Amino acid sequence: MKYYVIAGEASGDLHASNLIKGLRKFDSGAEVRGWGGDLMRESGCEIVRHYKDTAIMGFLTVLKNLDKIKANIEACHQDILAWRPDVVILVDYGGFNLRVAKFIKEAGIPVFYYISPKIWAWNTGRVKKIKRLVDRMFVIFPFEVDFYARYDYPVQYAGNPLVDAIHDRPFKDETFNEFVRVNGLSGKPIIALVAGSRSQELKHVLPKMLTMVKHFPGHEFVIAGAPSMSDADYAPYLQDVKVRIIYGQTYRLVRQARAALVTSGTATLETAILRTPQVVCYSGEGGALSYFLFKTFVKVKYISLVNLIAGREVVTELLMQKLNEKNLLRELSLIISEGEKRDQMLAGYDEVNEKLGDAGASERFARMMIDELSRFRG
């Protein structure tokens, strides 16, 4: 069968790539085309447009780029109609994918959604649109099953694909000394900076993370280089600080780090599965206006997946105005050394990992999708 897959950022590219491997395992003649990244391409997907050319985040940034977003949606629509897949699989990235879903539905092509947009966080009204436009929803958090049930919309859950990605990662048994030697690091304890995969995240979060370098001279700060970024993207922020960038080794880096500063998003959960203490960071443009919009629209108590899954505060979240040098220094100091805060966080990670379940979710979801698509084909 022909599968068209759309992912809009690094985490979506990762999960889509593992899903594609599962689809190709159970459907040996599968043809896959879509929008995504390098990992999807490596898994056998023909990439029409890379996510680094389409990723736009933040309230105000989206408003400034509405014409670009509309042009991307139209280009995607036309490519889908020309290729005529058996199904379109949307991966997270709700702002873009739900707009695309409307065209697909009107074209009579089945719409599957893998990894629900976080409508439970800020826009529960989108449930009506999802019920109207999405034929099958496949969710990766157990609390999402209960959320959708409240709106009489059955969804399918088979575990969390992050567990697969981390369980199957290369260099899983690597030691700290091996990692340091291979990457030419100093051997000091590492503080990892996971600053995101989009230019807006670098602009608003990375400079604040970098204020910590001078406070911890006994540690080496290393940026987890995003696959969509280059040295030129980081250079404007690194002129006055000594910090290394390592590309393509985020899991290895975070696993070997003593602690991490992590931009809110999927990376917070990845860091928890890898059991590295962290401070969650989030900021954006617009100052007081953005903070007002954020507090107005966000409907959940926490923004990090770690805390949402645990149902309590396991990791500290520094958001908007709270993301400053003073607060970062306090929180990082609490988890960098042995003590109550670090121990409590690691215990919380154990709870989260237990709730996520066993590896194998990507293949289980792929099998589900093929079975569901067979029903559509009669």
Side-chain angles (χ1 to χ4, degrees), residues 37-230:
D38 298 336
L39 295 177
M40 287 173 61
R41 181 181 290 114
E42 291 170 9
S43 69
C45 178
E46 181 182 359
I47 297 297
V48 178
R49 192 166 297 182
H50 200 287
Y51 69 79
K52 68 181 180 181
D53 299 321
T54 62
I56 298 171
M57 65 167 289
F59 296 109
L60 300 181
T61 306
V62 168
L63 290 176
K64 293 176 182 177
N65 288 275
L66 287 177
D67 289 343
K68 180 180 179 181
I69 293 171
K70 290 177 182 178
N72 284 334
I73 291 170
E74 180 60 24
C76 187
H77 176 213
Q78 294 302 324
D79 192 60
I80 290 170
L81 291 182
W83 199 59
R84 201 69 194 182
D86 292 289
V87 63
V88 175
I89 302 172
L90 309 173
V91 183
D92 201 354
Y93 201 44
F96 183 88
N97 276 336
L98 285 176
R99 290 179 173 86
V100 171
K102 183 176 186 295
F103 291 116
I104 304 167
K105 189 72 172 178
E106 291 171 351
I109 300 171
V111 180
F112 288 2
Y113 216 120
Y114 179 50
I115 306 179
S116 169
K118 299 174 181 62
I119 59 172
W120 33 264
W122 54 73
N123 194 349
T124 56
R126 280 185 172 180
V127 172
K128 295 178 181 178
K129 180 180 287 188
I130 287 175
K131 291 179 68 173
R132 186 174 72 252
L133 300 178
V134 176
D135 295 297
R136 296 290 186 273
M137 172 66 76
F138 303 85
V139 302
I140 64 171
F141 301 112
F143 64 80
E144 292 177 317
V145 177
D146 298 332
F147 168 79
Y148 278 108
R150 294 201 296 270
Y151 296 90
D152 194 30
Y153 183 65
V155 299
Q156 300 190 51
Y157 173 71
N160 193 293
L162 269 182
V163 178
D164 297 349
I166 294 175
H167 181 270
D168 298 333
R169 72 189 188 274
F171 303 97
K172 184 177 178 179
D173 298 320
E174 182 178 46
T175 67
F176 176 81
N177 288 336
E178 289 169 341
F179 178 75
V180 166
R181 177 178 53 79
V182 169
N183 288 287
L185 300 177
S186 67
K188 294 178 181 178
I190 295 169
I191 297 176
L193 304 182
V194 187
S197 60
R198 293 174 281 200
S199 58
Q200 293 96 330
E201 290 172 326
L202 294 190
K203 178 181 177 182
H204 298 293
V205 177
L206 183 57
K208 295 173 182 177
M209 291 180 171
L210 291 171
T211 62
M212 293 299 98
V213 175
K214 62 180 179 288
H215 294 290
F216 295 89
H219 291 73
E220 184 164 19
F221 284 75
V222 182
I223 294 173
S228 58
M229 299 291 176
S230 67

Side-chain angles (χ1 to χ4, degrees), residues 9-12 14-15 92 115 118 140-141 160-163 165-166 194 198 201 251 262-273 278 280 303-306 309:
E9 53 194 348
S11 61
L14 169 66
H15 298 315
D92 201 354
I115 306 179
K118 299 174 181 62
I140 64 171
F141 301 112
N160 193 293
L162 269 182
V163 178
I166 294 175
V194 187
R198 293 174 281 200
E201 290 172 326
Y251 287 169
V262 185
T263 300
S264 62
T266 305
T268 63
L269 185 55
E270 293 171 315
T271 303
I273 297 173
Q278 65 181 298
V280 176
I303 67 163
S304 73
L305 291 170
V306 181
I309 294 169

Side-chain angles (χ1 to χ4, degrees), residues 286-298:
L289 173 59
S290 283
Y291 186 71
F292 170 76
L293 292 171
F294 180 86
K295 297 300 289 185
T296 299
F297 290 107
V298 172

Side-chain angles (χ1 to χ4, degrees), residues 262-325:
V262 185
T263 300
S264 62
T266 305
T268 63
L269 185 55
E270 293 171 315
T271 303
I273 297 173
L274 290 165
R275 302 193 82 256
T276 298
Q278 65 181 298
V279 181
V280 176
C281 306
Y282 177 84
S283 189
E285 65 181 323
L289 173 59
S290 283
Y291 186 71
F292 170 76
L293 292 171
F294 180 86
K295 297 300 289 185
T296 299
F297 290 107
V298 172
K299 305 298 183 183
V300 290
K301 188 174 182 180
Y302 307 108
I303 67 163
S304 73
L305 291 170
V306 181
N307 292 342
L308 285 168
I309 294 169
R312 63 182 180 85
E313 184 179 285
V314 172
V315 296
T316 299
E317 301 176 353
L318 297 181
L319 316 179
M320 308 298 280
Q321 286 95 326
K322 291 185 178 180
L323 181 60
N324 56 51
E325 184 173 351

